[in-house]
Amino acid sequence: MIINHPLLGPRDAQEFTYLGDATLINRPDWQSENALNAFHDYLYLRDNPAGEHRELWYHEQGDRSWLVVTRNTMTHEILNVELAHDVAKAAAAERSAQ
Amino acid sequence: MTNGNRLNGGLIDRSTNLNFKFDGKNFSGFQGDTLASALMANGVRLMGRSFKYHRPRGVLTAGSEEPNALVELRSGGRQEPNTRATVAELYDGLSANSQNRWPSLERDFMAINDRFSNFLTAGFYYKTFMWPKAFWEKLYEPVIRKAAGLGSLTGEDDPDAYDKGFLHCDLLIVGAGPAGLAAALTAGRAGAQVILAEEDFHLGGRLIAETGALADVSGADWVAQTQAELAGMGNVRLMPRTTVFGAYDHGIYGAVERNADHLAMPAEGKPRQTLWRIYSKRALITTGAIERPIAFENNDRPGIMLAGAVRAYVNRWATTPAQSLVVFANNDDAHQTARDLIAQGVKVPAIVDTRPDAPDVEGTEVLKGAEIINTSGRLGLTSVQVRTDKGFTRDLHCEALAMSGGWNPNLGLTCHQRGRPVWNADIHAFVPGEEGLPVGQIVAGAAKGDLTTDAALQGGANAAVTALSDLGITATPADLPAAQDAPVSLSPFWHVKGAKRAWLDYQNDVTVKDVKLAHQENFTSVEHLKRYTTLGMATDQGKTSNVGALAVMAELTGKSIPETGSTIFRPPYTPVAMGALAGRAVGKEFHPTRLTPSHKWAEEQGAVFLEVGNWLRAQWFPRKGETHWRQSVNREVLQTRNSVGVCDVTTLGKIDVQGADAAAFLNMIYANGFAKLPVGKVRYGLMLREDGVAYDDGTAARLAEDHFVVTTTTANAVLVYRNMEFVRQCLCPNMDVQLISTTEAWAQYAVAGPNSRKLLQKIVDPEFDISNEAFPFMACGEITVCGGLRARLFRISFSGELAYEIAVPTRYGDGLMRALMEAGEEFDVVPYGTEALGVMRIEKGHATGNELNGTTTALNLGLGRMVSTKKDCIGNVLSRREGMNTPDALALVGLKPVDAKDTLPAGGHLMNLTGPVDAAHDQGYVTSTAYSPILNSSIALGYVKGGFDRKGEQLRLVNPLEGQEVLVEIVSAHFVDPEGEKLRA
């Protein structure tokens, strides 16, 4: 597969390490009342869609960017690639706005 | 033997005579021959034995689809089993042996299997070898394994090199037949970056196998002229001898180039094969078509071949399989075989055509509406029995038969991304489906179902124009020669009714009878059929057999062929040598080897090295007179504990953390707190996984308010860095912090023992005070040594002694090691390796990977209180789960034998003094053992249920596998200096 790195352009998937579901970015608040359950769900519960999937890839043999790759798990078509840092920043901004 | 079957013409170089051996006999052929064509020219028809029934077999095809003529090529370490003689290029000195026979190809003992064919039908494994159950592993399987199989492996190392490479192009064209060449001309002239890959060593495909493909010029001449033009284009890369074996995601193709398989051995420093990864923007599949056989009784005798293959041998290789040959076909195309042979003076007694309205052919008799119902000849065809349209039987004497049931587009690469072929009723064959083609892939020519030369040429050129226009490159179809354009004239005919031992899959010995049996037992779905009969599961993936078997099954079920199913193919298109996949990553080069800067120095000392991940680390340094490793290790430990020792710890991971939020960041990655660590101090840190399990530990040194150096274990250096980047980018995106790995930037040495300070004071520049008062335990700082060389000093100890770790820029590592040894001479300094390091850390009760084994928590390690409840950190919340915090949780303790003479076995389990020895009564297990030269005793670290409150209790340490049982006492894990007085001295 070829992943179109937002900073470096198209790179072979071999340069990356795969982690999995991008919801791992949304780590629960450790001080919330149901933190134990929230962390359990965060760590162990995943959707396993046949189709579009947002997932984390790490450019380990490259610039060490974590990327959020939207990939169709049936066809391996890659629909979008974002810097995880940007995604996480936006999510943090949204959380603090609430 | 002479070249008795050699004809006139062909693309062989008669001036270059090549001598070769087959089964020990000497033959000769010419440059341009394959092993198959050269054997044929020498009158050899028998080339192999079949897989299951050991039937005598000859060559069936003229290409990589060959199921029969498989040989062992070359000898010694270069021996290659199951090589298709049809693609093995002849070279002088080639040596090949037939396989799957004993004692000889002509007299094969296992041919007795053929007599028992009723017993060995499809599914015979499942039916025959069921009882008694125990016999399967001990008797049946070994016997079957010995009897089956084809070529043998040499068992010797392959002496040749294999390379890997990467290529990029606008357009990859797979197959250099008429369509591929027309496409390459079109795309090449348009200036596109083109790769033209051809599995054969000669470009041209059917153009060089046919006599009348082009109208005004010979096929071979046009190919030569086209090749010359393409070779002159800087933007076109011609790759003959290159098999594109797989279509992968996003336009990536795998290919093997056979650089030196056509030579006796590769030239000095050159690879035998190269594995290419080709990144294509567009790929054009012009892989042509594969002819299909007809199933009739005993249709597998040597001499029975595909009609198009016979034409290739006659026209390209100037050889005929025999001096008299009958044609059996259901189409006009095969009649050309008779014409080509007659033109060369070979006798063609008759063409047997299944069509009542077949056309006549000058020079031979066409038996219309006739079928071949049987054949004779044990080791080679002698005659065929024909049933005429009137129902009479006629015997025709012939030594070869050219058969054709039509042509199947060669779908291989179109199916590799789940592409499903569709049935084309016009040509009675499967063609690539519109859906499921790999991204960026287009198909043209015969591979698409355009079976005439003219359609292939035009289709190839037009496909190139389309492909390039997608990329914004304007191209116009190349001017192409006038070509044969007769429509396909074929009447479907798959098998002769009533035939039983009529082969469909030659390589796996699957007959019409087997398909009938599968149907009878209700294995009618194509996937069941395949697995039940093993149809298409040989190394040829059923290139010549799948469609024929589907047709027989369709007839049995009364369904149409497309209703019955379709066939798809998976990578690799043809077998790929393991050597090519491995490339240079063999033996010592299987992974990179990392050496520390003072590796050479350690070698000079005669160090014994240990692989730790990719690193080589000195394990111990044997001295003269030491005969056992433990003598060396004991000496290194004692000398360190009594005076001073030096150990290379460069391999530990080092990660530089800088930024205004550096301390807050460390708080997040470590279980314990770092915010209040003063500048100039080091702290031990424990890292958890998010599930609360401890996974790594090390130290973090604060060099400045906004600057830390984190160390990790050698094994986890990469993982910890990855996880830290995850926390930085994904979990704490607003922190002002940056990370960089500096593992390779610094050489680092542990200097340990009561004289370590005195030694260091000799090399640390005098303006830096490292006295106990100025530089106490857990201090750190940036200093200079040896007259101005910048260095970092950390007063930390893994051994439990007064100890330091000193780091200098990598290029000074070797120099520093030598300086330390020289300065330490007066203290009798000793270099120590990882074994002594291990002994000392066990004596001190420090955990390593044995203890941080992926199941243990901070609580288990006795570090439960380190997990701060006042701050967030990875693993914090889930480490508080109830089940991980029970009073009888495993606890890290020390163990010593009750009888000091006993040795504690590593890996044993702990049981109470009485009671059963089983998993239900398990009290814990041993993680690390060592012989302590200080205590003169075997000691161990281990986990014991509720162990912190069980000090003094005795347990049985058992290892039932070895029948060992030792009485042990639970003690503190800190065997040496439990109060830490030495550290602070």
Side-chain angles (χ1 to χ4, degrees):
Chain A
M1 285 197 291
I2 295 171
I3 294 172
N4 198 10
H5 192 299
L7 304 176
L8 302 174
R11 315 296 308 186
D12 194 293
Q14 280 193 128
E15 296 173 7
F16 293 81
T17 303
Y18 180 77
L19 180 62
D21 195 331
T23 57
L24 283 170
I25 289 177
N26 306 321
R27 192 169 177 272
D29 179 357
W30 71 292
Q31 286 173 311
S32 72
E33 242 170 69
N34 62 346
L36 206 55
N37 283 329
F39 267 88
H40 170 272
D41 294 355
Y42 162 77
L43 191 63
Y44 295 113
L45 299 187
R46 301 268 194 288
D47 287 334
N48 184 20
E52 270 186 42
H53 188 226
R54 272 164 60 87
E55 54 200 20
L56 285 159
W57 292 73
Y58 178 52
H59 199 202
E60 189 143 55
Q61 310 294 328
D63 75 340
R64 310 186 313 278
S65 286
W66 278 94
L67 304 180
V68 175
V69 176
T70 308
R71 182 178 65 105
N72 185 319
T73 57
M74 302 287 284
T75 62
H76 293 184
E77 186 186 0
I78 290 176
L79 303 148
N80 195 21
V81 185
E82 303 153 89
L83 288 175
H85 194 232
D86 292 345
V87 174
K89 263 190 159 167
E94 203 173 302
R95 271 200 304 274
S96 61
Q98 276 166 5
Chain B
M1 278 212 169
T2 58
N3 280 244
N5 281 337
R6 199 59 92 172
L7 306 171
N8 295 320
L11 295 174
I12 47 171
D13 174 7
R14 287 180 169 77
S15 66
T16 312
N17 207 57
L18 305 175
N19 295 310
F20 69 101
K21 273 188 181 163
F22 180 62
D23 275 347
K25 272 188 237 160
N26 291 312
F27 296 98
S28 75
F30 297 122
Q31 189 75 47
D33 263 327
T34 61
L35 176 59
S37 71
L39 284 172
M40 192 180 286
N42 282 281
V44 175
R45 284 184 297 173
L46 177 63
M47 296 187 200
R49 288 276 176 172
S50 74
F51 179 67
K52 194 156 98 178
Y53 302 125
H54 290 246
R55 301 261 297 185
R57 290 285 169 81
V59 65
L60 180 74
T61 73
S64 64
E65 68 272 31
E66 176 61 32
N68 280 349
L70 307 181
V71 299
E72 280 174 6
L73 192 64
R74 301 184 288 268
S75 57
R78 294 191 167 89
Q79 180 181 313
E80 183 184 284
N82 306 334
T83 301
R84 288 144 292 156
T86 50
V87 295
E89 229 174 300
L90 199 66
Y91 55 83
D92 196 50
L94 178 148
S95 151
N97 284 301
S98 60
Q99 49 191 35
N100 204 31
R101 83 288 186 268
W102 184 84
S104 74
L105 187 54
E106 284 76 17
R107 298 170 174 278
D108 174 15
F109 176 74
M110 289 304 286
I112 193 141
N113 282 4
D114 199 34
R115 305 283 174 89
F116 289 101
S117 61
N118 279 334
F119 179 73
L120 295 172
T121 49
F124 77 98
Y125 281 111
Y126 319 120
K127 291 172 181 167
T128 315
F129 302 110
M130 290 291 287
W131 298 280
K133 207 175 168 188
F135 273 34
W136 174 252
E137 233 176 75
K138 293 199 175 75
L139 180 66
Y140 299 144
E141 199 191 356
V143 170
I144 293 168
R145 285 217 182 276
K146 202 163 177 344
L150 292 165
S152 58
L153 291 169
T154 147
E156 291 176 37
D157 284 348
D158 187 337
D160 295 327
Y162 296 80
D163 266 338
K164 289 189 182 183
F166 301 82
L167 294 171
H168 298 257
C169 62
D170 294 321
L171 184 65
L172 166 68
I173 303 170
V174 185
L181 287 172
L185 268 186
T186 302
R189 286 176 186 169
Q193 293 297 321
V194 178
I195 293 174
L196 176 59
E198 167 57 55
E199 62 174 340
D200 203 330
F201 56 92
H202 202 300
L203 304 189
R206 292 305 299 176
L207 287 175
I208 54 169
E210 304 285 0
T211 43
L214 302 181
D216 309 317
V217 58
S218 87
D221 287 347
W222 186 76
V223 170
Q225 174 195 322
T226 305
Q227 182 170 352
E229 181 179 344
L230 293 172
M233 295 180 185
N235 55 325
V236 177
R237 185 182 181 117
L238 292 180
M239 298 182 75
R241 299 190 177 101
T242 301
T243 302
V244 176
F245 61 78
Y248 301 95
D249 292 306
H250 304 170
I252 301 172
Y253 286 78
V256 170
E257 181 175 14
R258 289 171 296 278
N259 309 88
D261 279 356
H262 61 295
L263 306 171
M265 66 176 73
E268 183 67 34
K270 302 284 187 208
R272 172 170 291 283
Q273 298 183 354
T274 305
L275 184 76
W276 293 105
R277 178 183 279 251
I278 303 175
Y279 297 82
S280 69
K281 289 181 186 155
R282 290 290 181 276
L284 179 58
I285 305 304
T286 49
T287 46
I290 293 174
E291 201 164 22
R292 55 200 187 206
I294 298 175
F296 52 94
E297 197 76 11
N298 290 311
N299 63 341
D300 66 329
R301 297 192 193 280
I304 300 180
M305 299 171 58
L306 290 169
V310 172
R311 289 203 296 285
Y313 287 110
V314 170
N315 299 323
R316 172 175 172 188
W317 285 291
T319 177
T320 174
Q323 291 304 322
S324 87
L325 181 145
V326 166
V327 175
F328 181 31
N330 65 345
N331 60 72
D332 284 1
D333 185 60
H335 289 204
Q336 186 61 37
T337 308
R339 285 191 211 99
D340 287 350
L341 283 162
I342 292 165
Q344 289 267 15
V346 177
K347 269 201 321 205
V348 181
I351 295 173
V352 180
D353 198 315
T354 59
R355 300 169 299 171
D357 57 346
D360 292 318
V361 173
E362 199 179 323
T364 187
E365 181 186 5
V366 179
L367 301 172
K368 302 174 188 179
E371 297 168 359
I372 290 180
I373 54 171
N374 209 341
T375 69
S376 311
R378 199 174 70 84
L379 297 177
L381 188 67
T382 53
S383 70
V384 295
Q385 283 89 60
V386 181
R387 183 169 57 214
T388 64
D389 58 338
K390 305 271 188 320
F392 300 120
T393 304
R394 253 179 86 174
D395 267 21
L396 293 173
H397 286 277
C398 59
E399 283 138 19
L401 179 90
M403 62 178 161
S404 175
W407 293 79
N408 291 322
N410 186 3
L411 302 169
L413 296 167
T414 69
C415 300
H416 287 182
Q417 303 280 324
R418 309 185 347 152
R420 285 271 163 194
V422 295
W423 185 253
N424 180 329
D426 294 336
I427 60 166
H428 302 282
F430 284 104
V431 297
E434 293 284 313
E435 280 175 32
L437 280 187
V439 171
Q441 190 180 95
I442 320 169
V443 191
K448 194 188 176 194
D450 292 341
L451 293 176
T452 72
T453 308
D454 186 66
L457 287 167
Q458 304 298 335
N462 292 332
V465 172
T466 310
L468 295 183
S469 86
D470 286 356
L471 304 176
I473 301 172
T474 309
T476 49
D479 47 313
L480 296 163
Q484 171 268 338
D485 197 21
V488 174
S489 171
L490 171 148
S491 168
F493 187 89
W494 305 98
H495 76 291
V496 174
K497 303 286 172 298
K500 289 179 180 149
R501 305 206 70 205
W503 267 261
L504 293 160
D505 183 332
Y506 288 79
Q507 201 181 353
N508 262 358
D509 267 340
V510 181
T511 63
V512 169
K513 191 174 148 191
D514 294 315
V515 176
K516 286 183 174 162
L517 186 67
H519 172 253
Q520 189 183 313
E521 306 203 341
N522 209 23
F523 292 104
T524 53
S525 105
V526 67
E527 296 301 330
H528 285 153
L529 168 66
K530 181 176 163 179
R531 280 153 187 85
Y532 190 68
T533 64
T534 72
L535 174 97
M537 291 171 75
T539 58
D540 67 347
Q541 288 196 49
K543 290 184 179 71
T544 54
S545 63
N546 288 341
V547 178
L550 267 180
V552 173
M553 182 57 86
E555 191 184 287
L556 293 168
T557 55
K559 291 182 185 165
S560 69
I561 291 173
E563 279 170 343
T564 304
S566 67
T567 66
I568 65 164
F569 299 89
R570 297 189 178 89
Y573 172 67
T574 50
V576 178
M578 296 305 288
L581 296 172
R584 301 272 175 174
V586 290
K588 211 164 77 51
E589 309 301 331
F590 182 66
H591 59 71
T593 301
R594 300 173 79 182
L595 304 179
T596 67
S598 52
H599 181 82
K600 189 164 164 283
W601 174 87
E603 264 182 347
E604 288 165 16
Q605 310 308 308
V608 174
F609 292 97
L610 172 75
E611 279 188 36
V612 184
N614 292 340
W615 291 103
L616 285 186
R617 295 190 72 179
Q619 214 171 349
W620 62 84
F621 296 82
R623 288 232 175 120
K624 229 183 193 168
E626 290 173 346
T627 53
H628 190 277
W629 63 270
R630 226 171 68 192
Q631 292 173 311
S632 313
V633 173
N634 288 349
R635 171 180 50 75
E636 290 169 16
V637 170
L638 288 172
Q639 228 167 310
T640 301
R641 292 228 186 272
N642 292 330
S643 179
V644 59
V646 178
C647 183
D648 185 352
V649 294
T650 302
T651 62
L652 294 183
K654 307 175 208 66
I655 300 162
D656 211 66
V657 181
Q658 297 195 41
D661 295 321
F665 180 76
L666 292 200
N667 261 353
M668 192 64 192
I669 61 162
Y670 280 121
N672 48 320
F674 277 81
K676 290 180 191 142
L677 181 69
V679 172
K681 283 284 183 187
V682 188
R683 184 170 287 174
Y684 172 81
L686 183 69
M687 288 188 189
L688 308 181
R689 305 192 308 218
E690 194 67 274
D691 65 0
V693 168
Y695 86 98
D696 203 68
D697 64 351
T699 59
R702 192 165 203 168
L703 297 179
E705 200 59 38
D706 59 354
H707 186 190
F708 290 82
V709 175
V710 165
T711 66
T712 75
T713 60
T714 301
N716 280 335
V718 171
L719 177 67
V720 168
Y721 190 31
R722 182 191 306 159
N723 290 346
M724 283 170 67
E725 283 291 1
F726 179 76
V727 172
R728 184 180 77 84
Q729 295 175 43
C730 299
L731 302 184
C732 306
N734 292 317
M735 276 191 189
D736 176 6
V737 62
Q738 297 295 330
L739 312 175
I740 190 78
S741 168
T742 59
T743 304
E744 300 206 325
W746 296 89
Q748 196 154 317
Y749 300 90
V751 183
N755 285 323
S756 56
R757 184 184 298 122
K758 284 186 203 151
L759 191 164
L760 281 173
Q761 276 166 336
K762 288 180 70 180
I763 65 157
V764 172
D765 290 339
E767 60 267 39
F768 298 99
D769 182 359
I770 60 167
S771 68
N772 197 31
E773 296 68 37
F775 203 82
F777 181 55
M778 295 310 252
C780 69
E782 292 180 285
I783 58 166
T784 61
V785 297
C786 303
L789 173 62
R790 95 191 157 100
R792 288 170 175 175
L793 190 65
F794 312 90
R795 189 168 161 191
I796 51 181
S797 174
F798 197 45
S799 57
E801 295 297 324
L802 165 65
Y804 301 80
E805 286 187 16
I806 181 164
V808 291
T810 297
R811 64 186 180 282
Y812 295 105
D814 179 79
L816 180 69
M817 190 62 182
R818 291 174 199 275
L820 286 168
M821 285 297 122
E822 206 184 304
E825 223 165 288
E826 62 175 284
F827 310 109
D828 202 13
V829 65
V830 66
Y832 65 94
T834 54
E835 280 299 324
L837 183 84
V839 170
M840 287 191 278
R841 71 95 192 163
I842 294 170
E843 288 175 338
K844 184 64 186 169
H846 281 153
T848 60
N850 292 13
E851 285 73 37
L852 275 65
N853 59 18
T855 67
T856 48
T857 63
L859 180 78
N860 299 145
L861 285 161
L863 304 174
R865 268 177 293 175
M866 273 181 74
V867 184
S868 169
T869 53
K870 297 194 183 72
K871 67 171 182 79
D872 191 11
C873 76
I874 302 299
N876 185 323
V877 171
L878 291 179
S879 74
R880 295 202 291 269
R881 281 181 286 181
E882 207 177 312
M884 289 164 73
N885 291 279
T886 56
D888 68 342
L890 290 173
L892 184 65
V893 297
L895 299 164
K896 66 172 196 190
V898 172
D899 180 343
K901 290 195 294 294
D902 281 340
T903 301
L904 302 182
H909 273 249
L910 297 157
M911 301 288 160
N912 285 326
L913 286 181
T914 56
V917 175
D918 58 26
H921 296 82
D922 192 51
Q923 295 300 303
Y925 57 95
V926 168
T927 52
S928 301
T929 61
Y931 177 79
S932 165
I934 287 283
L935 304 172
N936 284 319
S937 165
S938 180
I939 58 171
L941 298 177
Y943 287 104
V944 175
K945 282 183 181 171
F948 299 133
D949 303 322
R950 294 172 72 173
K951 303 255 161 71
E953 193 179 326
Q954 292 189 351
L955 293 171
R956 284 177 294 167
L957 169 53
V958 299
N959 176 5
L961 287 177
E962 303 278 341
Q964 289 166 312
E965 185 172 315
V966 183
L967 210 55
V968 296
E969 185 188 329
I970 302 174
V971 295
S972 158
H974 310 294
F975 293 93
V976 167
D977 189 26
E979 302 305 323
E981 286 158 9
K982 291 172 158 208
L983 300 171
R984 295 181 176 81

